[in-house]
Amino acid sequence: AQTVTQSQPEMSVQEAETVTLSCTYDTSENNYYLFWYKQPPSRQMILVIRQEAYKQQNATENRFSVNFQKAAKSFSLKISDSQLGDTAMYFCAFGHNNDMRFGAGTRLTVKP
Amino acid sequence: DAGVIQSPRHEVTEMGQEVTLRCKPISGHNSLFWYRQTMMRGLELLIYFNNNVPIDDSGMPEDRFSAKMPNASFSTLKIQPSEPRDSAVYFCASRTGNSYNEQFFGPGTRLTVL
């Protein structure tokens, strides 16, 4: 069974600075997908970024980028130029076929 | 498009009562997912449907839980009888195509069982 581990329950960062959220996963599959979702206080789940396992190039979406290390089964999220609106829970997720497994989440607080 | 619609947004009920949560996926999406979110267990996949057919319900915690998708635009998650430990936020999500595509989540239903 696939498992996703987020070892940082809480993190904080100063506005405009950079922060990295960690995620590791365990799987025997070779083809799969990885995601970072954001859940602000509104409770809405919002996709931040995604990565296909067979692509070596790290995905980037504006201020958000990932460091995907397939051999190490690591998928960290880097947020550059942090903004107050980035304050939220961040969930790492693993997808294979129609199955989706989420990590426990990291609560990120951006301080002014 | 209005996005994934869930109702009710909040539900408070007493132990032993039947609870029915509703979901309308985004039009054209062929996969639908039900999740439960609690502080203790995080976000758990309960069941997913593909083209209205339940594919995997291994995440459904007990026989008290059941889910249906009678057509492409409607799904229900029923708990009968409900228990206090069922208190959680229940999310519905829908997606088109394969696993790489984004799952669009509804706003969730906060269920409280007294």
Side-chain angles (χ1 to χ4, degrees):
Chain A
Q2 284 73 230
T3 58
V4 180
T5 302
Q6 293 179 249
S7 58
Q8 305 151 315
E10 294 188 22
M11 292 193 71
S12 64
V13 62
Q14 290 295 134
E15 193 175 8
E17 293 188 348
T18 296
V19 64
T20 299
L21 309 184
S22 301
C23 173
T24 59
Y25 57 93
D26 186 27
T27 184
S28 58
E29 303 293 341
N30 193 45
N31 294 321
Y32 48 88
Y33 307 96
L34 297 163
F35 306 83
W36 279 98
Y37 275 85
K38 167 184 176 181
Q39 187 179 39
S42 67
R43 204 171 71 197
Q44 184 69 44
M45 293 287 286
I46 302 165
L47 179 67
V48 174
I49 197 167
R50 56 187 162 182
Q51 173 86 37
E52 298 173 75
Y54 64 85
K55 286 190 176 179
Q56 293 185 336
Q57 186 173 3
N58 289 324
T60 299
E61 288 286 345
N62 301 315
R63 299 183 294 108
F64 299 88
S65 62
V66 299
N67 183 5
F68 174 47
Q69 302 290 328
K70 190 172 184 179
K73 297 180 182 175
S74 171
F75 184 62
S76 61
L77 174 69
K78 185 171 81 171
I79 306 174
S80 304
D81 185 24
S82 298
Q83 300 176 1
L84 296 178
D86 295 334
T87 292
M89 283 288 290
Y90 286 83
F91 293 95
C92 178
F94 172 100
H96 174 69
N97 291 335
N98 280 309
D99 196 9
M100 190 82 133
R101 303 289 166 175
F102 285 82
T106 296
R107 183 177 301 280
L108 176 68
T109 302
V110 180
K111 299 180 178 179
Chain B
D1 198 320
V4 176
I5 299 172
Q6 290 187 248
S7 64
R9 293 292 306 274
H10 303 273
E11 176 81 20
V12 180
T13 190
E14 292 188 348
M15 183 174 62
Q17 296 298 306
E18 177 179 298
V19 175
T20 299
L21 310 181
R22 297 173 177 79
C23 175
K24 176 179 169 54
I26 293 173
S27 177
H29 285 192
N30 61 339
S31 296
L32 183 140
F33 305 78
W34 281 101
Y35 293 90
R36 177 174 68 176
Q37 185 176 33
T38 62
M39 289 294 292
M40 291 296 294
R41 300 177 67 88
L43 198 59
E44 304 171 278
L45 176 62
L46 300 178
I47 185 171
Y48 62 84
F49 295 82
N50 195 40
N51 294 322
N52 312 340
V53 176
I55 302 300
D56 186 351
D57 65 354
S58 59
M60 297 284 263
E62 301 173 33
D63 291 344
R64 299 183 295 106
F65 286 70
S66 63
K68 294 182 180 179
M69 192 165 185
N71 57 62
S73 59
F74 184 65
S75 177
T76 59
L77 178 67
K78 185 177 293 185
I79 308 172
Q80 166 64 20
S82 58
E83 297 183 3
R85 59 196 169 111
D86 301 331
S87 297
V89 178
Y90 291 82
F91 286 99
C92 175
S94 72
R95 183 193 73 202
T96 186
N98 64 27
S99 298
Y100 180 67
N101 291 344
E102 177 181 358
Q103 288 191 20
F104 290 83
F105 283 75
T109 295
R110 180 176 293 280
L111 172 65
T112 302
V113 183
L114 303 175

